[in-house]
């Protein structure tokens, strides 16, 4: 592979104008295709195979006018102090508001609280449910404004009115501040790392082009492949991350080759052949991690993963072709200004102060057991809160205290009980006489412990399906509510046998429970798939069993620590004021599996780039200790820069108002911090120092069975007539006596 990529890099260097024009043409073409393509479809959340989804699909067929999956709003009204909501004045205002809301073109139905008996026992508060014909993302501004205007008019009349539900959830204002901050910090880090504006600009330029092509392709193919606009979010985040990383490592290797006296064309070829090989395998691990989201069997996650994986493929191709082309335009301008004046191949100053990476690796080689113990115990301590992880989906009870959604949530809890914020919807189906069966089912459900109310059943026109709402005593995110759902479902077969009907439990609360359970069940298979395939890839790269095993175990340790930090902040409330958490609560269900996919890809990037250089030095004659020093001397600074860039990008999202985005940003930033600076920078060299030559051991039969992909460029150096690995002699002088 290294030889092929060497030739590819030299070809791109020589034909740089054509290569650059090709990528620019692809960017323009993708942009034009995206702008002329039909609008992408809206998000359609579904969970095939779950009881909730089965019930929703059934309701769409049996109650076509009920808009089972349509947007909804719940308007809570409270009478002025000392008055009743049933008094003539307040009642007239409420009925006027209901009439106004019902005139909306997208409104399917509006409940009359006086007929539906949704008035609190003390008579001070009532609520009305508004159902729309379309999902929340398809609601027009006119419909949202009409609802707001109607409630404002009632509020002006002296009543307290607050509104909740997905129909009134304001669009998250993502003004781009997080992305801009991340890019700005990335630029600063790249300039400090390279000391050259030209070198710093290349990773940013190629990453932006790659992301542009990827996002435009998603937009162009959205209507054909049913890719919603949401799928571009993960694609943009990962594409930008790996795009900068991959270009960073190839440019860094090019500078090292130039410093050794290579011609610019030869240096570009060697950089693409060696660092480019690492890019290919690092990209494969990311693609595996993202594509593996398909095992969760949630279509929206599968689409997001595959779309992001496609963007990673584009980032790899750009790094292998456009970076050598840009290097052809730049030549020696990628070096620091003072280094450009030095003659090519000038020897290193023997009295120069060793690099920080060199000094750190020497320290670890001297005290590997102490470093390993401190790092593992430290991450283990941070991971302890992860044992208390509670999964769920944020509801309006975790919204900002001053938001209308939170106020409506609190008013309902105070006047009706916490369960009214998350009622369960029960469907009863029977070929004939379903109404009588539904009444029997309702009576049975009212006897379930924890159920405070069951609404009268509503039967469809065909007379084969009835629906009713079951109100639990506890709130939608409480563990007791989950137990109530489990109890109802476990009793459903017995009740159904008595009545001859099929009983299904759905609704937003049940959907959330099923969603969390689906992700929880998929976590172990997903881990096994991703880690297993990545282990095989890394075994091909490093020709070793212990190095991939160490990489996988280190990753699991860093993810556990990151989850522990997330639980401590967002579930327990530690440092909540500093991070900006309005109210601690369950961790978002997608968080663990999403973090595993994203962080695993980035972690394996750092592992491949850092350890490949060690493997390269070892194959060309360095001792195990010397190879560790070589890897850190040439890769430590760049890996640290890449990690800081990623931490900066993810940390920018902590400043957003949305708790989900805040949690994602915090979790990913902390995970990269732990993995890059504790696992890769401390645990990896310590383990390699303790293992010595055993780290690179591979059984002979397995060595013969595995194809030799030559990531370290051994065949390449032989073909080029090199007598030793680059820098091997120099590192023997710098490194302590290796193991």
């Amino acid at each position: 592979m290294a030889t092929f990529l060497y030739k590819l890099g030299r070809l791109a260097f020589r034909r740089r104008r054509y290569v650059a024009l090709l990528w620019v043409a692809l960017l323009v073409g993708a942009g034009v295709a995206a702008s002329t393509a039909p609008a992408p479809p809206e998000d359609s959340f579904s969970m095939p195979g779950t009881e909730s989804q089965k019930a929703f699909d059934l309701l769409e067929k049996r109650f076509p006018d009920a808009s089972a999956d349509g947007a909804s709003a719940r308007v809570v009204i409270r009478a002025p102090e000392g008055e009743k909501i049933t008094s003539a004045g307040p009642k007239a205002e409420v009925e006027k508001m209901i009439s106004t809301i019902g005139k909306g073109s997208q409104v399917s139905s509006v409940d009359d609280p006086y007929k539906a008996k949704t008035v609190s026992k003390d008579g001070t508060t009532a609520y009305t449910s508004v159902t729309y014909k379309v999902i929340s993302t398809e609601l027009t501004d006119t419909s949202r404004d009409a609802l707001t205007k109607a409630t404002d008019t009632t509020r002006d009349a002296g009543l307290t009115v607050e509104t909740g539900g997905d129909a009134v959830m304001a669009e998250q204002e993502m003004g781009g501040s997080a992305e801009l901050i991340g890019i700005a910090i990335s630029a600063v880090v790249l300039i400090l790392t390279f000391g050259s504006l030209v070198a710093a600009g290349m990773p940013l330029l190629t990453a932006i082009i790659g992301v542009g092509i990827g996002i435009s392709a998603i937009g162009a193919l959205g209507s054909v492949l049913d890719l919603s606009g949401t799928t571009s979010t993960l694609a943009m985040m990962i594409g930008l991350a790996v795009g900068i990383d991959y270009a960073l490592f190839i440019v860094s290797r090019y500078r090292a080759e130039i410093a050794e006296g290579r011609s610019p064309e030869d240096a570009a070829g060697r950089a693409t052949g060696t660092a480019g090989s690492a890019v290919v395998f690092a990209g494969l691990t990311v693609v595996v991690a993202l594509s593996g989201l398909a095992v969760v069997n949630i279509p929206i996650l599968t689409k997001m993963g595959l779309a992001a994986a496609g963007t990673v493929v584009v980032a790899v191709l750009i790094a292998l072709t456009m970076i050598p082309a840009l290097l052809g335009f730049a030549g020696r301008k990628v070096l620091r200004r003072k280094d450009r004046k030095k003659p090519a191949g000038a020897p290193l100053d023997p009295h120069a102060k060793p690099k920080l990476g060199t000094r750190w690796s020497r320290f670890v080689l001297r005290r590997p057991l102490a470093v390993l113990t401190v790092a593992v115990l430290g991450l283990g301590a941070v991971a302890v809160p992860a044992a208390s992880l509670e999964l769920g989906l944020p509801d309006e009870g975790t919204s900002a205290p001053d938001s209308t959604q939170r106020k409506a949530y609190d008013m309902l809890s105070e006047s009706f009980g916490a369960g009214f914020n998350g009622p369960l919807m029960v469907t009863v189906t029977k070929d004939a006489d379903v109404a009588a069966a539904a009444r029997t089912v309702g009576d049975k459900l009212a006897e379930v412990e924890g159920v405070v109310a069951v609404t009268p059943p509503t039967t469809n026109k065909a007379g084969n399906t009835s629906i009713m709402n079951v109100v639990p005593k506890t709130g939608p995110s409480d563990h007791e509510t989950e137990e109530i759902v489990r109890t109802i479902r476990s009793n459903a077969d017995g009740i159904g046998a008595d009545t001859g009907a099929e009983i299904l439990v759905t609704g937003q609360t049940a959907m959330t429970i099923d969603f969390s359970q689906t992700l929880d069940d998929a976590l172990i298979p997903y881990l096994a798939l991703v880690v297993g395939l990545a282990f095989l890839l890394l075994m091909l790269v490093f020709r070793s069993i212990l190095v991939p095993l160490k990489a996988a175990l280190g990753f699991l340790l860093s993810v556990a620590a990151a989850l522990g930090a997330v639980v401590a902040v967002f579930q327990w409330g530690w440092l909540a004021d500093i991070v900006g958490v309005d109210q601690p609560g369950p961790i978002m269900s997608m968080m663990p599996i999403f973090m595993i996919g994203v962080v695993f890809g980035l972690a394996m990037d750092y592992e491949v780039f850092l350890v490949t250089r060690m493997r390269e030095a070892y194959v060309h004659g360095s001792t195990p200790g010397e190879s560790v020093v070589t890897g850190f001397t040439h890769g430590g600074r760049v890996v640290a820069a890449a990690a800081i860039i990623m931490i900066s990008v993810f940390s920018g999202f902590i400043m957003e108002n949305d708790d989900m985005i805040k949690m994602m940003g915090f979790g990913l930033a902390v995970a990269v911090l732990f993995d890059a600076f504790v696992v890769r920078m401390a645990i990896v060299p310590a383990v390699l120092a303790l293992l010595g030559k055993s780290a690179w051991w591979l059984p002979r039969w397995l060595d013969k069975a595995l194809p030799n992909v030559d990531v370290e460029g051994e065949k390449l150096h032989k073909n080029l007539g090199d007598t030793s690995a680059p820098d091997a002699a120099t590192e023997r002088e710098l490194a302590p006596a290796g193991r």
Side-chain angles (χ1 to χ4, degrees), residues 360 364 368 370-383 550-551 553-562 599 603 606-607 610 614 632 636 639-640 643-644 647 669-688:
W360 169 251
V364 177
V371 171
L372 179 63
T373 302
V374 171
V376 171
L377 290 179
L379 289 180
V382 179
K550 172 263 306 170
L553 293 177
F555 157 73
L556 294 176
L557 185 59
S558 63
V559 166
V599 177
Y606 305 144
E607 177 76 14
L610 189 62
M614 299 178 189
F632 271 88
V639 168
I644 292 173
I647 293 170
V670 171
V672 172
L673 174 67
F674 291 156
D675 195 273
F677 291 102
V678 181
V679 175
R680 308 306 153 191
M681 295 290 187
I683 294 179
V684 167
V687 171
L688 291 178

Side-chain angles (χ1 to χ4, degrees), residues 14 181 277 303 368 394 472 566 683:
R14 292 195 302 269
I181 291 174
S277 297
K303 294 173 185 177
V566 170
I683 294 179

Side-chain angles (χ1 to χ4, degrees), residues 15 48 116 124 128 149 158 171 207 387 401 432 436 458 483 492 524 541 583 637:
R15 299 289 187 265
T124 62
T128 178
K149 184 177 180 180
E171 296 288 334
T458 301
E483 291 301 319
I524 299 301
V541 174
Q583 180 172 327
R637 179 186 179 96

